[in-house]
Amino acid sequence: MIGKLENKGDYHTGPSINELGDSTSTKKSWPILAMASTAGLEKLSGLSSYFYQGQAKDETKTYLDGVYSHIVRGDVILVEQGNILMPSVVTMATVEKRDISDNSSPPINVPITTLIFSPAAKIGYGSDKAKIRIWFNARKAGVLERIPTATVKLTDILNKPRPITATTPNRLPLTNADIIIEDAEGTALSAKGHLYNSGSTTKVNITAITTDGFSGELVKPITFHWGLTKVTRGQTVARELLGDGDATQSWQSFTLAKSPLTYVTDPYAPNGRRAELAVWVNGIKWRQAQSFYGATATDEIYVVKHDKDHNTQIIFGDGELGLRLPTGPGNVIATYRFGVGGNVDAKTINRLVKPIKGVKSVTNPLPATGGEDPPTPEQAREQAIQSTRVLGRLVSLPDFEVEAARFGGVLQAKAEWAWDPVREDAVAKVWIVAPGPGDPSPDLQAYLEARCEPGTLVRVEKAASWGGPLFVDLEFDPDYLPDQVEAAVDERLYDSDKGLLAPRNAPIARSLFRSQLYAAIHEIEGVLAVRGLSYGGEQMPAAVPVPEGHYLAITKSGPYTITTLSPT
């Protein structure tokens, strides 16, 4: 790197150079050299005969305009022509006598310094020699220090292999691995990437960031976690004695001692959820069924039901629809897991229930995702109504939307027909709203493919959040308590289940109209008027369009501005 140095100390003002090398060097400091002296070119002969003109040959002699005994082999020099500065190193410096008589007799020999330097300066042919200077006599003027950056942008990491210090380099390479990127402040992102050994160095190449919505910077040092293990919440109850079988009873049932029953994602299970439950009768494992419909008198099945308090009942057949339980003392046993929901924060899972050989510690750099609380009775009724629209087979786009929304971890879905340019066929494309860093798309796609017509192409993608803050200016009726009216407006707009702007109901790739907000707010008793709406810091337009692949995520911008009319 070279440039001008305004030096007002002991040295002449002149060009400076910090290193004759790659500007991307990983060195932490470089000396700054200031050129204290200057020389011109020999002025008595044509430039083209004595100065390098850009040919491949580097060892062309350059004749100076006098004797400069301070220039010796190995010196760093700068060749200056106008605004161009070219660094070089002297490979030969001699004093020669030059005939300045223009071939007249007798010759007039004058001593001048002759240089060869490399790389040779590429001065334009025919340039005015008076405008060309050779700077020499380099002196140390200071040190250029590299100030390390404290943060890293995602663009500095994505698709740029970086050396790392690996704790287990002998277990590489890994391709398309799940990786968690964690910075010094605990911010963590999920990613995909490759890890490999390059000689004695281990490198990581992040190919994709799978965490949605992060646009900031990561604070150094950065830690990369791989070899991750997926875990699900739930405590195991082993071999719980449910009771005695009685062949004289139809629809005999038992209630599990612990609740709620744990369900895990399974694309091949009904609704994409599988109960973590196994039931044995007389030492034989019976099969869980969705219902007794279509069962025979010899089917060893049971059905799971939940009451409003989320207690779990195990129900057996009546001898016609499913086999009755055989009579026997203590012959019905269950092993299951209980505990659901609880999408805990990052770094809150920090201990094992029991030791595991080879495991020193556990942690969760990312918050837990995919957990759901048991549905309320109202939600269960709605899901039951929606399920009647599908009846186990997906045909229309609304079928895909209903079934996708019933899948674990999905709040809502939007389906549309699209074109697959690779297969040259129509594809049912389903966008889902699944807040959090987890992505149920692969499991949901397998689940939907198993339930649609053979040959139907299905693509499921997680919609990204898109939106800004909403500011509302309201006018209240003085006969109502402002706090209660404001709480009712909050519930109407932001309630996680019924709120107009909640992720469960927010528009996917379609517009939100200002009139919708006016109508929703005016439904609240005690609201006289909506005086104004501000979205993203500006007056809200008539419609807020949401781009493809996104869902609208509007947040509340501070408390409402409330005007209360005085009683007349």
Side-chain angles (χ1 to χ4, degrees):
M1 182 177 71
I2 56 179
K4 294 287 185 177
L5 178 66
E6 295 295 331
N7 194 328
K8 298 181 180 180
D10 296 333
Y11 306 138
H12 299 293
T13 299
S16 65
I17 179 171
N18 72 323
E19 185 177 83
L20 299 178
D22 186 358
S23 62
T24 62
S25 170
T26 58
K27 292 179 61 176
K28 295 183 178 180
S29 63
W30 301 264
I32 297 177
L33 304 178
M35 302 302 174
S37 304
T38 182
L41 298 186
E42 184 265 325
K43 300 179 176 60
L44 301 178
S45 299
L47 174 69
S48 61
S49 300
Y50 305 109
F51 198 75
Y52 179 62
Q53 303 165 14
Q55 297 93 333
K57 186 177 180 182
D58 281 351
E59 294 184 355
T60 302
K61 291 182 179 180
T62 298
Y63 300 97
L64 304 185
D65 59 358
V67 176
Y68 297 91
S69 58
H70 293 299
I71 303 178
V72 298
R73 180 181 179 182
D75 281 358
V76 175
I77 64 173
L78 285 176
V79 180
E80 180 182 12
Q81 179 188 13
N83 293 324
I84 302 175
L85 291 171
M86 289 158 287
S88 296
V89 175
V90 176
T91 59
M92 187 200 77
T94 61
V95 177
E96 299 182 7
K97 288 186 176 182
R98 292 279 291 155
D99 181 5
I100 62 173
S101 63
D102 197 18
N103 296 323
S104 62
S105 183
I108 303 175
N109 294 318
V110 176
I112 58 174
T113 295
T114 302
L115 300 180
I116 295 177
F117 43 84
S118 179
K122 297 183 179 181
I123 299 296
Y125 179 78
S127 299
D128 184 356
K129 288 191 296 182
K131 296 181 180 180
I132 299 174
R133 293 191 296 176
I134 306 296
W135 290 88
F136 65 97
N137 194 10
R139 301 183 182 183
K140 187 174 181 180
V143 177
L144 181 66
E145 296 284 351
R146 181 192 295 272
I147 300 177
T149 58
T151 59
V152 175
K153 297 179 180 179
L154 293 186
T155 53
D156 298 329
I157 298 177
L158 197 60
N159 293 313
K160 294 180 181 178
R162 292 299 185 96
I164 59 173
T165 302
T167 56
T168 55
N170 58 324
R171 298 184 181 180
L172 303 179
L174 295 175
T175 59
N176 197 33
D178 290 315
I179 299 174
I180 292 179
I181 305 171
E182 184 179 11
D183 74 355
E185 295 184 347
T187 300
L189 307 175
S190 58
K192 290 282 189 179
H194 310 311
L195 296 114
Y196 57 95
N197 293 319
S198 178
S200 60
T201 303
T202 300
K203 292 187 175 182
V204 59
N205 182 24
I206 300 300
T207 56
I209 304 295
T210 55
T211 295
D212 175 36
F214 182 81
S215 59
E217 297 184 357
L218 299 174
V219 179
K220 293 180 179 180
I222 309 298
T223 302
F224 298 89
H225 302 275
W226 66 87
L228 308 174
T229 299
K230 290 186 177 181
V231 298
T232 57
R233 183 181 182 183
Q235 184 173 340
T236 300
V237 177
R239 300 185 62 80
E240 179 180 297
L241 177 61
L242 297 184
D244 305 335
D246 185 350
T248 65
Q249 292 188 34
S250 299
W251 314 117
Q252 190 172 1
S253 66
F254 303 92
T255 300
L256 298 181
K258 302 291 185 179
S259 64
L261 182 64
T262 297
Y263 284 80
V264 296
T265 300
D266 184 346
Y268 303 102
N271 301 334
R273 302 176 181 91
R274 172 173 49 82
E276 291 281 80
L277 169 68
V279 176
W280 286 269
V281 178
N282 286 338
I284 298 174
K285 187 176 181 179
W286 285 31
R287 177 175 58 88
Q288 181 183 343
Q290 276 294 99
S291 70
F292 290 107
Y293 177 78
T296 68
T298 59
D299 287 341
E300 296 175 334
I301 62 173
Y302 60 91
V303 172
V304 176
K305 298 291 183 181
H306 303 285
D307 62 21
K308 64 179 181 179
D309 296 321
H310 310 300
N311 296 311
T312 302
Q313 290 184 320
I314 311 298
I315 305 172
F316 297 90
D318 66 346
E320 293 183 4
L321 300 176
L323 185 65
R324 290 190 185 190
L325 281 175
T327 300
N331 62 342
V332 184
I333 295 174
T335 294
Y336 60 95
R337 296 171 65 204
F338 71 95
V340 297
N343 287 333
V344 297
D345 294 333
K347 298 185 180 300
T348 54
I349 302 175
N350 49 33
R351 67 183 182 89
L352 295 169
V353 175
K354 59 181 179 180
I356 299 177
K357 185 178 181 180
V359 177
K360 294 182 179 179
S361 63
V362 294
T363 188
N364 60 314
L366 292 173
T369 61
E372 289 185 291
D373 292 326
T376 64
E378 184 177 350
Q379 291 173 335
R381 283 193 298 270
E382 179 63 26
Q383 291 176 3
I385 293 172
Q386 295 293 337
S387 67
T388 62
R389 297 177 52 182
V390 178
L391 296 178
R393 180 60 61 185
L394 309 181
V395 179
S396 66
L397 291 177
D399 293 344
F400 283 94
E401 293 176 350
V402 168
E403 202 65 15
R406 297 173 62 208
F407 195 81
V410 177
L411 296 183
Q412 65 156 319
K414 179 187 178 183
E416 59 185 18
W417 291 112
W419 181 253
D420 187 330
V422 177
R423 297 193 182 185
E424 296 184 345
D425 201 353
V427 57
K429 191 166 187 178
V430 182
W431 295 101
I432 61 171
V433 176
D439 187 1
S441 295
D443 290 336
L444 175 56
Q445 181 168 313
Y447 172 75
L448 296 178
E449 288 173 341
R451 284 157 177 78
C452 61
E453 293 295 326
T456 303
L457 300 181
V458 181
R459 296 290 181 271
V460 179
E461 293 188 29
K462 179 181 176 181
S465 60
W466 185 91
L470 176 69
F471 179 81
V472 182
D473 185 2
L474 301 175
E475 185 176 300
F476 284 2
D477 189 323
D479 293 337
Y480 289 80
L481 292 174
D483 291 346
Q484 293 182 2
V485 179
E486 186 174 359
V489 174
D490 263 346
E491 183 178 6
R492 183 66 185 89
L493 296 182
Y494 301 107
D495 179 74
S496 60
D497 189 29
K498 295 183 178 181
L500 176 65
L501 303 178
R504 188 182 298 276
N505 306 310
I508 304 175
R510 57 183 175 84
S511 296
L512 172 72
F513 294 95
R514 185 176 57 201
S515 58
Q516 293 176 272
L517 288 173
Y518 277 107
I521 297 174
H522 275 293
E523 291 177 355
I524 307 302
E525 292 187 8
V527 175
L528 293 180
V530 179
R531 296 165 58 92
L533 295 173
S534 174
Y535 171 72
E538 299 179 355
Q539 183 177 355
M540 184 176 181
V544 177
V546 181
E548 182 180 3
H550 295 76
Y551 71 94
L552 188 61
I554 287 183
T555 56
K556 181 180 178 182
S557 177
Y560 301 119
T561 298
I562 301 171
T563 301
T564 304
L565 292 181
S566 301
T568 58

